[in-house]
Amino acid sequence: PRPLTAAPLSRRRYVAGGQCKSTAKLEGKVAIITGANTGIGKETARELARRGKVIVACRDTAKAEAAASEIQAETGNQQVIVKKLDLADTKSIREFAEKFLAEEKELHILINNAGVMLCPYSKTADGFEMHLGVNHLGHFLLTFLLLERLKQSAPARIVNVSSLAHHGGRIRFHDLHGEKSYNRGLAYCHSKLANVLFTRELARRLQGKSQRGAEFTANALHPGSVSSELVRHSFVMTWLWKIFSFFLKTPWEGAQTSVYCAVAEELDSVTGQYFSDCQPAYVSPRGRDDETAKKLWSVSCELLGIQWD
């Protein structure tokens, strides 16, 4: 094969983007990462396992056990633990939270990473449109159920993996579940905008709420365009991803901003922000709309049958 010239190498470095430089250890700390059996989630789990205890929360436990074994072998950390979590089923989310709270006395980092993309029209076990149900409502409920443990463990961080795609989203309150019109690309964008708005409203509500005066933060991020299984529902996207793989981040590169938001010391008191390539990034005007963020919050509580004041 032809050796890489300086130009492709510099292009590759540009594609790779920012890297988390923090060497912060997480001894005695506990992190949960959803969807950590593949792609960005798995690489985030691998990086955090070099620093502390990691709970790998996944729907496919066989795949998760294989990923956890690989990470344990590589890092020497046996505290990489698999727990069953299906974000498309609120019963599973509640069971996961109940077991976690019974077994773990502390929680310092919650990374809401799992997601679906470009799904043909379908609904979750509770009748929510799949993108909204998994990417937003599932993580909204999970965060709600674990919030008190996070507060008690402060300093604590909530990290929501959103996407640049939020720029193409809007919250269609008149047709949240896409029953009147559905486009799977737009449905993904809408759910990623919901992640940004949830982060914004959560950060606003959390300010001054932690115990012992310790910081308690919530931030969102865009991991970059990453070569992963996320596009598996679209033949065209899978094909394009293969052709343009040189212009895509590897899962390890894509995980860098998640790791940065979870551990970087300089973010100790930074909350309600949106990051890309380990630095603050531009949020769309719709992602900065406080009224929509508040309305989405109350509609989400209604749909999930919870009271979160």
Side-chain angles (χ1 to χ4, degrees):
R2 201 171 48 176
L4 283 171
T5 61
L9 272 174
S10 61
R11 191 185 311 131
R12 183 72 219 123
R13 273 196 292 271
Y14 173 76
V15 168
Q19 283 185 22
C20 176
K21 302 283 198 296
S22 170
T23 55
K25 291 290 178 201
L26 303 172
E27 282 113 346
K29 295 198 171 182
V30 180
I32 291 176
I33 308 170
T34 67
N37 59 356
T38 185
I40 301 167
K42 182 178 172 184
E43 294 307 320
T44 304
R46 196 191 308 271
E47 288 300 307
L48 292 194
R50 300 184 200 283
R51 304 162 190 255
K53 182 172 183 175
V54 178
I55 310 286
V56 173
C58 299
R59 184 171 52 89
D60 186 337
T61 50
K63 215 170 178 184
E65 290 289 0
S69 298
E70 182 191 310
I71 292 168
Q72 286 168 350
E74 189 181 318
T75 62
N77 180 3
Q78 295 310 300
Q79 289 194 304
V80 181
I81 298 156
V82 173
K83 301 277 182 203
K84 168 103 175 150
L85 171 67
D86 183 355
L87 287 157
D89 185 350
T90 57
K91 187 166 171 281
S92 170
I93 299 168
R94 290 180 181 280
E95 281 170 4
F96 168 86
E98 207 175 296
K99 282 181 188 161
F100 175 83
L101 294 171
E103 292 164 12
E104 299 287 343
K105 295 298 162 241
E106 294 195 298
L107 175 60
H108 305 89
I109 298 165
L110 171 61
I111 302 181
N112 290 319
N113 163 83
V116 293
M117 181 181 181
L118 304 173
C119 301
Y121 190 74
S122 55
K123 287 188 170 179
T124 68
D126 302 271
F128 309 139
E129 185 278 314
M130 192 61 73
H131 292 90
L132 184 82
V134 171
N135 298 355
H136 169 61
L137 291 169
H139 283 127
F140 188 95
L141 178 61
L142 180 66
T143 306
F144 167 74
L145 295 170
L146 298 176
L147 195 73
E148 283 310 309
R149 190 55 45 89
L150 281 156
K151 277 184 191 171
Q152 292 157 9
S153 311
R157 299 184 186 191
I158 296 164
V159 179
N160 294 324
V161 179
S162 178
S163 167
L164 185 69
H166 85 270
H167 285 270
R170 59 175 63 215
I171 306 301
R172 303 165 71 246
F173 290 109
H174 66 287
D175 189 24
L176 269 182
H177 303 294
E179 288 160 331
K180 293 175 186 166
S181 71
Y182 180 75
N183 173 295
R184 56 190 184 171
L186 287 176
Y188 176 71
C189 295
H190 301 333
S191 72
K192 293 289 108 180
L193 173 61
N195 292 154
V196 171
L197 291 168
F198 169 44
T199 305
R200 189 176 181 88
E201 181 63 7
L202 179 61
R204 187 185 73 77
R205 287 164 176 260
L206 290 181
Q207 283 186 315
K209 291 282 174 71
S210 60
Q211 296 174 6
R212 307 190 305 274
E215 295 295 347
F216 187 16
T217 65
N219 291 298
L221 66 100
H222 166 56
S225 297
V226 179
S227 178
S228 75
E229 290 177 20
L230 201 56
V231 294
R232 65 186 176 276
H233 293 293
S234 167
F235 170 76
V236 174
M237 287 295 282
T238 304
W239 181 69
L240 287 170
W241 247 226
K242 279 183 179 151
I243 291 175
F244 295 107
S245 61
F246 188 74
F247 296 95
L248 298 173
K249 289 186 178 187
T250 64
W252 182 84
E253 290 162 353
Q256 292 303 300
T257 307
S258 295
V259 176
Y260 174 74
C261 288
V263 305
E265 299 90 337
E266 64 267 32
L267 300 187
D268 277 348
S269 57
V270 174
T271 192
Q273 299 301 307
Y274 171 75
F275 293 86
S276 177
D277 282 329
C278 301
Q279 57 189 15
Y282 179 73
V283 177
S284 76
R286 286 197 190 107
R288 287 178 268 130
D289 186 332
D290 289 329
E291 287 316 303
T292 303
K294 284 172 188 158
K295 187 175 177 185
L296 178 64
W297 185 283
S298 71
V299 169
S300 300
C301 287
E302 226 169 274
L303 288 168
L304 292 163
I306 59 175
Q307 276 191 301
W308 189 355
D309 301 319

